[in-house]
Amino acid sequence: MNFQPIIDEQHRFFDTNTTKDIQFRINELKRLKNVLKKNEALLYSSIYKDFKKSKFETYVTELSIIYHEIDLALVNVRKWAKKKKASTGLTNLPGKSYIVPEPYGTVLVIGAWNYPYQLSLCPAIAAIAAGCTVILKPSELPSNTAAAMAQLINQNFDPSFFKVIEGGVQQTTELLQIRFDKIFFTGSLPVGKIVYQAAAKHLTPVTLELGGKSPAIITKDVNINMTAKRLVWAKYLNAGQTCIAPDYVLVDSSIHDSLLTAMKAEIEKAAYHVDHHNYTQIINVKNFDRLKDLIDKEKIYVGGECNVEERVISPTIMKNVEFSDKIMKDEIFGPILPILSFKTIEEAIEKVKTLSKPLSCYVFTKNKTIKNKILNEISFGGGAVNDAVMHFTEQSLPFGGVGDSGIGNYHGKYGFETFSHYKSILQKPFWIELNLKYSPYSDKKLKWLKRIIG
Ligand code: NAD
């Protein structure tokens, strides 16, 4: 399909300046919230068809996050969009300086499959708040959720402002050949590189929300039961298909066994099962097979059961894992948690740093010195101390990676900034001018200028 006319139409609409009007943005955000609220039943049933995600998890990890993002933008968009005063140096007095947030224009948002609603709609919300027009390309893997978003958006919004285009690699490749004013991508590192290269041809700015192996480092002084409870929840939420799930645990060897016992007890307590509506399926057979291959039967401590018909892998913990094991090569992105141990914190930090910069890092400790050492010495996107995953829910925190885990960030006002260009303006009156900078130059003028500009 030729997408160029649709994007041309969005550029034309953007040029009418309609989206520069803050009230227009507010109305469209309200429209989006109303449409989603009215059609929650469709959103729940579609995601259940795709990978049996429960109503509970869909609300907590998808819809509530989208609603909060809209509400925050509704309250703050006027403030975010205001021009901001900046200081003015002696040279330009009595002028004044200010910064004007300007929407980038027509943007492309490419979504990932694991949280298909919020990873597609939260960037779109930020783009709308910033005054952009949006082409949204959700992941094709959860086909029912992609179809639901296409239906709801395309029936309720003017396509020259906000349109969902469904499709996979071919359609995305075609879209990437077209000039956009900004591309926001969530997905894997290899595809992130493809997006970055395509964007470079048009010098289009990008935000890349990627993944990586996020460690959880546990020291010997922790509250073991609470640590186990939080880790188990964070890992097996969405059956481990979470970009910021703890990918592996590095635990002080002196509490290794007690942590394992506590984690096993937490898994049993949670009674994960798709029939209990508290456990999600693996998205497809390809990922199921990939995950199954990662399980080393000799190292299973808990779980390891794989049911291909149901596409379910039970919550699995692997122990005695080494950094050289296969499971430590790439991001796991499923319900398998390798446990490794360390003797000194220096050793743990050194090991983490042999891998790419992770999207998240979790530190469980009561020791302030160790906490500060880890936060200071390991580079990662964002994280939590004595918890995991929950930092994502804080709208006051920018969410994004660093190095191989991504470029740029969003959420709340950071999302607005991601879709805005900050235009710098110096404004001068006509009534006064220092003639020093004008030709003909002289030593005397230079002497005075040096006094003023230093
Ligand atoms: P993916 O890279 O396979 O797909 C992401 C998007 O890119 C999809 O919309 C897909 O249609 C498109 N795509 C796939 N192959 C393409 C190609 N060759 N050319 C152009 N477009 C292509 O990623 P995924 O499997 O959907 O998601 C898993 C990855 O995403 C994991 O690495 C995970 O950590 C990461 N992720 C990151 C975040 C974050 O917020 N940082 C969130 C969720 C997932």
Side-chain angles (χ1 to χ4, degrees), residues 359-363 375 380-385 387-392 397-398:
L359 182 57
S360 298
C361 177
Y362 305 114
V363 191
L375 297 186
F380 56 92
V385 176
D387 206 348
V389 168
M390 291 306 289
H391 64 298
F392 185 89
L397 295 175

Side-chain angles (χ1 to χ4, degrees), residues 109-115 118-119 137-142 167-174 176 184-192 194-195 208-212 241-244 283 287 331 333 359 392 399-401 405-406 410-411:
V109 173
I110 303 172
W113 59 262
N114 53 328
Y115 291 89
Q118 59 117 331
L119 293 176
K137 208 299 291 176
S139 171
E140 71 283 17
L141 298 190
V169 177
Q170 192 196 325
Q171 289 75 7
T172 318
T173 307
E174 288 169 26
L176 286 171
F184 187 106
F185 170 81
T186 304
S188 61
L189 176 63
V191 181
I194 294 173
V195 170
L208 302 177
E209 295 282 342
L210 312 176
Q241 301 167 112
T242 303
C243 56
I244 49 173
I283 186 69
N287 270 286
E331 181 183 2
F333 219 55
L359 182 57
F392 185 89
F399 179 77
S405 55
Y410 69 131
H411 284 186

Side-chain angles (χ1 to χ4, degrees), residues 204-274:
T204 299
V206 294
T207 297
L208 302 177
E209 295 282 342
L210 312 176
K213 289 186 86 60
S214 299
I217 304 172
I218 327 289
T219 66
K220 60 183 174 209
D221 61 356
V222 294
N223 175 329
I224 291 181
N225 289 338
M226 188 58 80
T227 302
K229 192 179 178 72
R230 290 177 181 167
L231 277 178
V232 164
W233 176 82
K235 179 67 188 185
Y236 301 107
L237 179 75
N238 209 27
Q241 301 167 112
T242 303
C243 56
I244 49 173
D247 186 274
Y248 62 102
V249 168
L250 261 173
V251 58
D252 188 296
S253 54
S254 64
I255 60 157
H256 173 270
D257 293 354
S258 19
L259 181 71
L260 280 182
T261 310
M263 289 182 75
K264 188 176 179 192
E266 283 302 328
I267 290 174
E268 280 162 8
K269 237 192 270 172
Y272 290 111
H273 200 285
V274 279

